[in-house]
Amino acid sequence: MKKYIKYAAVFLALGVVFGVFYREFSKAYGVVNTYATLGLVHTHFLVLGVAFVLIIGLVTEKIGVGNNKLYKWAFPVYCSGVLGAGLMMAVRGILDILVRSDNIEFAVSGGANGAIAGISGIFHAVLGIGLALIFIVWMKKKPTVGEAAKSFTGDNDNK
């Protein structure tokens, strides 16, 4: 479980840093109280990076699939997808604020817009693939003899 707590702590730090960065950056450029993608990065890292990683860790430890070969590959794929998607959202959000700012004249070319959207989409797909693989590992877990007997007889340790 310690591994998951470390991953969650990194995502927590990123979430807090990007939350403060969003507040200060948008204030500096005079773009406050408006929707900007940069404001979502904070939530993205906290929910997908902290909450989901801890939930994944709890479920994985409970059913005992942490040593599964596919799982050892799927979890880092999920985490890299969360990180990459969050960072691309940050790039998009910074550009959103710069474009809306009255302090400077700034425009984003169509090619840059497409590249940002494409890379972000790839990272979101990586995130989704990692999460799907984790669920596949969970669902393919065969219960041990003791677990099967408990589920069949209705015996439960949580009385």
Side-chain angles (χ1 to χ4, degrees):
M1 193 63 201
K2 197 169 194 173
K3 170 178 98 170
Y4 302 105
I5 293 171
K6 288 179 182 178
Y7 272 91
V10 169
F11 283 121
L12 176 64
L14 285 170
V16 169
V17 165
F18 276 104
V20 171
F21 177 73
Y22 164 63
R23 185 188 69 219
E24 297 303 320
F25 189 75
S26 60
K27 265 198 291 187
Y29 285 94
V31 182
V32 288
N33 297 330
T34 60
Y35 172 82
T37 308
L38 189 56
L40 300 176
V41 177
H42 167 74
T43 310
H44 185 87
F45 280 132
L46 293 181
V47 173
L48 294 177
V50 177
F52 270 35
V53 164
L54 291 175
I55 291 168
I56 288 169
L58 288 170
V59 172
T60 300
E61 293 292 319
K62 175 69 177 166
I63 64 176
V65 294
N67 291 327
N68 180 293
K69 187 188 278 188
L70 180 59
Y71 180 80
K72 285 183 176 183
W73 185 78
F75 183 71
V77 167
Y78 170 77
C79 289
S80 63
V82 171
L83 180 63
L87 294 177
M88 290 312 297
M89 287 174 70
V91 169
R92 163 65 67 210
I94 290 168
L95 295 175
D96 282 350
I97 288 174
L98 292 175
V99 166
R100 293 180 189 177
S101 173
D102 295 333
N103 300 346
I104 62 171
E105 193 71 32
F106 189 82
V108 181
S109 72
N113 247 348
I116 292 167
I119 295 168
S120 180
I122 289 169
F123 278 116
H124 277 86
V126 167
L127 184 160
I129 289 168
L131 195 56
L133 290 173
I134 289 169
F135 271 86
I136 288 169
V137 170
W138 287 349
M139 292 186 326
K140 287 181 72 174
K141 167 73 165 97
K142 295 186 182 2
T144 63
V145 174
E147 290 172 348
K150 283 182 186 177
S151 66
F152 180 73
T153 61
D155 289 344
N156 199 348
D157 291 336
N158 301 328
K159 291 183 181 178

